[in-house]
Amino acid sequence: MNFFFEVHNDLPREAPGNNQSTKRAFKMVRNLKPDLKILDIGCGPGRQSIELARNHGCYVTALDNHQPFLDKLNRKAENEKLTDRITTVNASMFDMKFSPASFDLIWSEGAIYIYGFEKGLRDWKKILTEGGYIVVSELSWLTPEMPQEPKEFWDKEYPAMKSVNENLKIADACGYSVAGVFIIPDSGWEDYYGPIEKRIQNLREIYGDNPEANKVFDNETAEIALYRKYGEYYGYVFYILRANK
Ligand SMILES: C[S@@+](CC[C@H](N)C(=O)[O-])C[C@H]1O[C@@H](n2cnc3c(N)ncnc32)[C@H](O)[C@@H]1O
């Protein structure tokens, strides 16, 4: 039994964020042509893919390597009558087969960390059209100093996590100009953590004192409590980056 998937199966989204933040970031993308080809990398159940496809003239290729997420996204696209604007692709972000200059906009909410922030900015630029954009949300340190507890937790869970300034320097070195940066609000974390908390409550009743299950549930609960206590020190940051010509 994979208890991680028991918790994460069929959630509205798989990373902190919400439609308001997706919309806010999209507004910062400027001067693009009317028919916009968008690649959403690590789309998960695709809340943001749907939000992007709602914009007139946007065509979204939504890529993930977990088919149940893509099935869910396809169902939503059907319900929203957006099947002509959304194409799902089951593939690994490490093995994408797109030709150079295939997309005007690459989008990735809470997923570039899997590939590596810097490596993603460098490698994915090749499939962007000239002057195209990369928009990613990435867990980042918000202050130069932070208490021991969140530092220890994230040093273990995500040792590559950088500060906003470090990430902006990386973006510059990779050949991007910054069109916008913002921290997603607490509501974006609650939109993600709220459904997880409810799910864990139910699953604890089902699995009782199963130690393997409780380990997974306790880890998730600890992460949620940590954010509520120390959320001023780290956050998901949207980076809206335009590839230099
Ligand atoms: C943290 S979730 C974010 C999902 C979505 N962007 C969201 O904000 O709800 C990361 C996503 O990356 C996907 N993923 C993990 N490894 C991957 C890989 N090698 N290639 C493509 N997708 C991957 C997972 O299936 C998951 O949907």
Side-chain angles (χ1 to χ4, degrees):
M1 175 65 75
N2 185 329
F3 293 105
F4 178 83
F5 276 117
E6 281 281 287
V7 175
H8 285 265
N9 180 34
D10 216 19
L11 290 175
R13 51 179 311 131
E14 283 295 326
N18 53 24
N19 282 348
Q20 289 95 298
S21 294
T22 301
K23 274 189 204 153
R24 184 172 171 196
F26 185 72
K27 273 199 191 137
M28 292 174 172
V29 174
R30 291 184 190 277
N31 303 327
L32 288 174
K33 56 193 186 63
D35 281 345
L36 209 59
K37 287 197 228 101
I38 304 174
L39 174 63
D40 184 0
I41 300 179
C43 62
R47 240 213 192 166
Q48 69 296 324
S49 326
I50 294 276
E51 191 53 43
L52 292 169
R54 281 197 185 116
N55 292 291
H56 180 70
C58 286
Y59 295 88
V60 180
T61 300
L63 179 142
D64 205 282
N65 65 352
H66 187 60
Q67 188 59 39
F69 288 156
L70 299 177
D71 292 342
K72 185 168 182 194
L73 172 52
N74 282 328
R75 283 196 297 276
K76 269 194 287 183
E78 258 173 48
N79 291 342
E80 302 252 348
K81 306 211 174 350
L82 287 171
T83 46
D84 56 334
R85 305 259 198 101
I86 296 181
T87 308
T88 55
V89 174
N90 185 338
S92 172
M93 63 177 86
F94 291 92
D95 188 25
M96 297 194 291
K97 304 269 191 250
F98 302 112
S99 312
S102 295
F103 297 98
D104 308 299
L105 170 60
I106 290 177
W107 201 273
S108 188
E109 291 195 26
I112 194 172
Y113 80 93
I114 295 162
Y115 193 87
F117 183 80
E118 177 166 1
K119 193 168 155 42
L121 293 190
R122 274 191 208 288
D123 292 355
W124 299 349
K125 200 174 180 194
K126 295 170 198 153
I127 51 174
L128 266 191
T129 50
E130 203 181 301
Y133 281 74
I134 289 194
V135 176
V136 295
S137 67
E138 163 77 349
L139 192 63
S140 312
W141 291 114
L142 304 179
T143 56
E145 305 290 331
M146 64 288 297
Q148 190 80 350
E149 205 181 337
K151 173 113 183 54
E152 271 176 14
F153 181 89
W154 288 114
D155 278 355
K156 193 161 145 258
E157 295 296 324
Y158 185 32
M161 181 163 152
K162 306 239 173 349
S163 69
V164 176
N165 278 342
E166 284 171 316
N167 282 333
L168 291 176
K169 278 193 197 138
I170 290 172
D172 180 56
C174 292
Y176 293 88
S177 305
V178 180
V181 181
F182 67 90
I183 303 164
I184 67 157
D186 284 344
S187 58
W189 287 80
E190 292 307 325
D191 284 356
Y192 172 57
Y193 281 153
I196 291 182
E197 270 186 318
K198 276 199 198 114
R199 175 74 50 82
I200 288 177
Q201 249 174 22
N202 293 339
L203 290 174
R204 281 194 196 278
E205 282 174 23
I206 297 169
Y207 291 106
D209 52 10
N210 179 320
E212 207 191 320
N214 281 316
K215 194 171 164 208
V216 172
F217 304 156
D218 291 347
N219 276 350
E220 298 254 355
T221 309
E223 186 190 311
I224 295 171
L226 190 83
Y227 178 75
R228 290 188 181 144
K229 193 165 170 201
Y230 294 113
E232 72 205 84
Y233 298 99
Y234 62 90
Y236 259 92
V237 176
F238 256 105
Y239 298 89
I240 295 94
L241 307 171
R242 183 161 206 235
N244 297 332
K245 288 186 185 156

Coordinates of all heavy atoms in Angstrom, one line a residue, residues 5 12-16 40-48 63-66 69 91-94 108-111 113-114 137 192 236, ligand 1:
F5 N 0.2 8.0 -1.8 CA -0.8 8.2 -2.8 C -2.2 8.1 -2.2 O -3.2 8.7 -2.7 CB -0.7 7.2 -4.0 CG 0.3 7.7 -5.0 CD1 1.5 7.0 -5.3 CD2 0.1 8.9 -5.7 CE1 2.4 7.5 -6.2 CE2 1.0 9.4 -6.6 CZ 2.1 8.7 -6.9
P12 N -7.6 18.3 -5.2 CA -7.8 19.4 -6.2 C -6.5 19.8 -6.8 O -6.4 20.2 -8.0 CB -8.5 20.5 -5.5 CG -8.7 20.1 -4.1 CD -8.1 18.7 -3.9
R13 N -5.4 19.9 -6.0 CA -4.1 20.3 -6.5 C -3.0 19.6 -5.7 O -3.3 19.1 -4.6 CB -3.9 21.8 -6.6 CG -4.2 22.6 -5.3 CD -3.9 24.0 -5.6 NE -2.6 24.2 -6.2 CZ -2.4 24.9 -7.3 NH1 -3.3 25.6 -7.9 NH2 -1.2 25.0 -7.8
E14 N -1.8 19.6 -6.3 CA -0.7 18.8 -5.7 C 0.4 19.7 -5.2 O 1.5 19.2 -4.8 CB -0.2 17.8 -6.7 CG -1.1 16.6 -6.9 CD -1.2 15.7 -5.6 OE1 -0.3 15.7 -4.8 OE2 -2.3 15.2 -5.3
A15 N 0.2 21.0 -5.1 CA 1.3 21.9 -4.6 C 0.5 23.1 -4.1 O -0.6 23.4 -4.6 CB 2.3 22.2 -5.6
P16 N 1.1 23.9 -3.1 CA 0.5 25.1 -2.7 C 0.3 26.0 -3.9 O 1.1 26.1 -4.8 CB 1.5 25.7 -1.8 CG 2.3 24.5 -1.2 CD 2.4 23.6 -2.4
D40 N 2.7 22.9 -19.8 CA 2.6 22.9 -18.3 C 3.3 21.6 -17.8 O 2.8 20.5 -18.0 CB 1.1 22.9 -18.0 CG 0.9 22.9 -16.4 OD1 1.9 23.0 -15.7 OD2 -0.3 22.9 -16.0
I41 N 4.5 21.8 -17.3 CA 5.3 20.7 -16.9 C 5.0 20.2 -15.5 O 5.1 21.1 -14.5 CB 6.8 21.0 -17.0 CG1 7.1 21.4 -18.5 CG2 7.7 19.9 -16.6 CD1 8.6 21.8 -18.8
G42 N 4.8 18.9 -15.3 CA 4.4 18.4 -13.9 C 3.0 19.0 -13.6 O 2.8 19.5 -12.5
C43 N 2.1 18.8 -14.5 CA 0.8 19.5 -14.3 C -0.1 18.9 -13.2 O -1.0 19.6 -12.7 CB 0.0 19.4 -15.7 SG -0.4 17.8 -16.2
G44 N 0.2 17.7 -12.8 CA -0.6 17.1 -11.7 C -2.1 17.0 -12.2 O -2.4 16.8 -13.4
P45 N -3.0 17.2 -11.3 CA -4.5 17.1 -11.7 C -4.9 18.4 -12.5 O -6.0 18.4 -13.0 CB -5.2 17.1 -10.3 CG -4.3 17.5 -9.3 CD -2.9 17.3 -9.8
G46 N -4.0 19.3 -12.7 CA -4.2 20.3 -13.7 C -5.1 21.5 -13.4 O -5.7 22.1 -14.4
R47 N -5.2 21.9 -12.2 CA -6.1 23.1 -11.9 C -5.6 24.3 -12.7 O -6.3 25.0 -13.3 CB -6.0 23.4 -10.4 CG -7.3 23.3 -9.9 CD -7.7 24.1 -8.8 NE -9.0 23.4 -8.5 CZ -9.7 23.6 -7.4 NH1 -9.3 24.5 -6.5 NH2 -10.7 23.0 -7.2
Q48 N -4.2 24.4 -12.7 CA -3.7 25.6 -13.4 C -3.7 25.4 -14.9 O -3.9 26.4 -15.6 CB -2.2 25.9 -12.9 CG -1.2 25.0 -13.3 CD -1.3 23.6 -12.7 OE1 -1.8 23.4 -11.6 NE2 -1.0 22.5 -13.4
L63 N 1.8 18.1 -19.2 CA 2.7 16.9 -19.2 C 2.9 16.5 -17.7 O 3.1 17.3 -16.8 CB 4.0 17.3 -19.8 CG 5.1 16.2 -19.8 CD1 5.9 16.3 -21.2 CD2 6.1 16.4 -18.7
D64 N 2.7 15.2 -17.5 CA 3.0 14.6 -16.2 C 3.2 13.1 -16.4 O 2.9 12.6 -17.5 CB 1.7 14.7 -15.3 CG 2.1 14.7 -13.8 OD1 2.3 13.6 -13.2 OD2 2.1 15.8 -13.2
N65 N 3.9 12.5 -15.5 CA 4.2 11.0 -15.7 C 3.3 10.2 -14.8 O 3.5 9.0 -14.6 CB 5.6 10.7 -15.4 CG 6.1 10.9 -14.0 OD1 5.3 11.5 -13.2 ND2 7.3 10.5 -13.7
H66 N 2.2 10.7 -14.2 CA 1.3 10.0 -13.4 C -0.1 10.0 -14.1 O -0.8 11.0 -14.0 CB 1.2 10.6 -12.0 CG 0.4 9.8 -11.0 ND1 0.7 8.5 -10.7 CD2 -0.7 10.1 -10.3 CE1 -0.1 8.1 -9.8 NE2 -1.0 9.0 -9.5
F69 N -3.5 11.4 -12.7 CA -3.7 12.9 -12.7 C -4.2 13.4 -14.1 O -5.0 14.2 -14.2 CB -2.3 13.6 -12.4 CG -1.9 13.5 -10.9 CD1 -0.5 13.6 -10.6 CD2 -2.8 13.3 -9.9 CE1 -0.1 13.5 -9.3 CE2 -2.4 13.2 -8.6 CZ -1.0 13.3 -8.3
A91 N 4.5 11.7 -20.0 CA 6.0 11.6 -20.2 C 6.7 12.1 -19.0 O 6.1 12.8 -18.2 CB 6.3 12.4 -21.5
S92 N 8.0 11.8 -19.0 CA 8.8 12.3 -17.9 C 9.4 13.7 -18.4 O 9.8 13.8 -19.5 CB 10.0 11.4 -17.6 OG 10.9 12.0 -16.7
M93 N 9.5 14.6 -17.4 CA 10.1 15.9 -17.7 C 11.6 15.7 -18.0 O 12.2 16.6 -18.6 CB 9.9 16.9 -16.6 CG 10.5 16.5 -15.3 SD 10.3 17.8 -14.0 CE 8.7 17.4 -13.3
F94 N 12.1 14.5 -17.7 CA 13.6 14.3 -17.9 C 13.7 13.7 -19.4 O 14.9 13.5 -19.8 CB 14.1 13.2 -17.0 CG 14.2 13.8 -15.6 CD1 13.2 13.6 -14.7 CD2 15.3 14.5 -15.2 CE1 13.3 14.1 -13.4 CE2 15.4 15.0 -13.9 CZ 14.4 14.8 -13.0
S108 N 5.2 25.9 -14.8 CA 5.4 24.8 -14.0 C 5.2 25.2 -12.5 O 6.0 25.9 -11.9 CB 6.8 24.2 -14.1 OG 6.9 23.0 -13.4
E109 N 4.0 24.8 -11.9 CA 3.7 25.1 -10.5 C 4.2 24.0 -9.6 O 3.7 22.9 -9.7 CB 2.2 25.4 -10.4 CG 1.8 26.7 -11.1 CD 0.5 27.2 -10.7 OE1 0.0 27.0 -9.5 OE2 -0.1 27.9 -11.5
G110 N 5.1 24.3 -8.8 CA 5.6 23.4 -7.7 C 6.2 22.1 -8.3 O 6.1 21.1 -7.6
A111 N 6.8 22.2 -9.5 CA 7.3 20.9 -10.0 C 8.8 21.1 -10.6 O 9.4 20.0 -10.8 CB 6.4 20.4 -11.1
Y113 N 11.3 21.9 -9.1 CA 12.3 21.3 -8.1 C 12.7 19.9 -8.4 O 13.8 19.5 -8.1 CB 11.7 21.5 -6.7 CG 10.8 20.4 -6.3 CD1 11.2 19.2 -5.6 CD2 9.4 20.5 -6.6 CE1 10.3 18.2 -5.3 CE2 8.5 19.5 -6.3 CZ 9.0 18.3 -5.7 OH 8.1 17.3 -5.3
I114 N 11.8 19.2 -9.1 CA 12.0 17.7 -9.4 C 13.2 17.7 -10.4 O 14.1 16.8 -10.3 CB 10.8 17.1 -10.0 CG1 9.7 17.1 -8.9 CG2 11.1 15.7 -10.5 CD1 8.3 16.8 -9.5
S137 N 6.6 28.2 -10.1 CA 6.6 28.5 -8.6 C 7.5 27.5 -8.0 O 7.6 26.4 -8.3 CB 5.2 28.4 -8.1 OG 4.7 27.1 -8.1
Y192 N -4.2 24.0 -0.5 CA -3.5 22.7 -0.7 C -3.5 21.9 0.6 O -3.9 20.7 0.5 CB -2.0 23.0 -1.1 CG -1.1 21.8 -1.1 CD1 -1.4 20.7 -2.0 CD2 0.1 21.8 -0.4 CE1 -0.5 19.6 -2.0 CE2 0.9 20.7 -0.4 CZ 0.6 19.6 -1.2 OH 1.5 18.6 -1.3
Y236 N 6.2 29.6 -1.3 CA 6.2 29.3 -2.7 C 6.3 30.7 -3.4 O 5.4 31.6 -3.2 CB 5.0 28.5 -3.2 CG 5.4 27.1 -3.3 CD1 5.2 26.2 -2.3 CD2 5.9 26.6 -4.5 CE1 5.6 24.9 -2.4 CE2 6.3 25.3 -4.7 CZ 6.2 24.4 -3.6 OH 6.6 23.2 -3.8
Ligands
LIG1 C1 4.2 18.8 -6.5 S1 3.2 18.2 -7.8 C2 2.6 19.7 -8.6 C3 1.4 19.4 -9.5 C4 0.7 20.6 -10.1 N1 1.6 21.5 -10.9 C5 0.0 21.4 -9.0 O1 0.5 22.5 -8.7 O2 -1.0 21.0 -8.5 C6 4.5 17.6 -8.9 C7 4.0 16.9 -10.1 O3 5.1 16.4 -10.9 C8 4.8 15.1 -11.4 N2 6.1 14.5 -11.6 C9 7.0 13.9 -10.8 N3 8.0 13.4 -11.4 C10 7.8 13.7 -12.7 C11 8.6 13.5 -13.9 N4 9.8 12.9 -13.9 N5 8.1 13.9 -15.1 C12 6.9 14.5 -15.2 N6 6.1 14.8 -14.1 C13 6.6 14.4 -12.9 C14 4.0 14.5 -10.3 O4 3.2 13.4 -10.8 C15 3.1 15.6 -9.8 O5 1.9 15.7 -10.5

